[in-house]
Amino acid sequence: MKLSVLILSFFLPYFAHALCIVNDHVKLRAKPSDKAKVSWVVGPHMPFREVDKKGAWYQVQDFEGEKHWVHARNVSYKESCVVVKTPKANLRIGPGAKFAPTDLGIVGKYATFRKISRDEEWLKVQDVYGQVHWAHENTLWEPRDSSRVTF
């Protein structure tokens, strides 16, 4: 009986969630502790992929592959967020290059948004001020939920 439990534990699936920062000035840490060195400070709508969990702390990975720890009070699975991964992204009033730029027009790398919807390769996004824009998917990083089997 103990051997079968041991064998099954090697085949447990791991489900990695996409997480979204929901608070302002969130301190990401090098280790899962409020006393650990701050590795990055981020604002609302910064997306991450969950890597691990220890107590109330999530180890997360950003679009450049860097890993950090964030306290659970600062993240949500319920929101979908994106970040600009290219040097700049053009923001449009509709889903296509034929549409005029929004008032914001162009944003730089690391600009974050809450994802509202998708129209083919265009994402409808909302900034922290509530303004709505459209951006091409090639300029954005959107983490996806994923699962894997661990051995």
Side-chain angles (χ1 to χ4, degrees), residues 36-54:
K37 178 182 174 189
V38 174
S39 57
W40 195 12
V41 178
V42 297
H45 309 310
M46 180 59 83
F48 291 98
R49 180 176 295 121
E50 176 188 343
V51 176
D52 197 3
K53 185 170 191 223
K54 287 189 180 174

Side-chain angles (χ1 to χ4, degrees), residues 6 9 13 17 21 36 61 68-69 75-76 80 85 87 102 112 114 121 126 129 144:
L6 179 63
S9 69
H17 291 284
I21 299 294
Q61 186 174 27
H68 313 272
W69 288 90
V75 297
S76 173
S80 181
K85 67 180 181 180
T102 62
T112 61
R114 184 175 68 85
E121 70 258 11
Q126 183 179 41
Y129 304 106
R144 308 284 174 134

Side-chain angles (χ1 to χ4, degrees), residues 68-123:
H68 313 272
W69 288 90
V70 61
H71 196 278
R73 69 179 164 265
N74 295 307
V75 297
S76 173
Y77 295 118
K78 295 178 183 177
E79 284 193 44
S80 181
C81 298
V82 297
V83 62
V84 175
K85 67 180 181 180
T86 56
K88 67 176 184 165
N90 294 304
L91 302 179
R92 305 286 180 173
I93 61 171
K98 66 182 180 204
F99 288 92
T102 62
D103 290 340
L104 200 51
I106 297 174
V107 293
K109 190 174 185 176
Y110 303 111
T112 61
F113 301 92
R114 184 175 68 85
K115 181 182 143 191
I116 299 171
S117 64
R118 173 185 283 276
D119 184 347
E120 296 182 15
E121 70 258 11
W122 289 84
L123 277 71

Side-chain angles (χ1 to χ4, degrees), residues 1-9:
M1 183 69 170
K2 289 182 181 181
L3 181 60
S4 63
V5 171
L6 179 63
I7 291 171
L8 285 176
S9 69

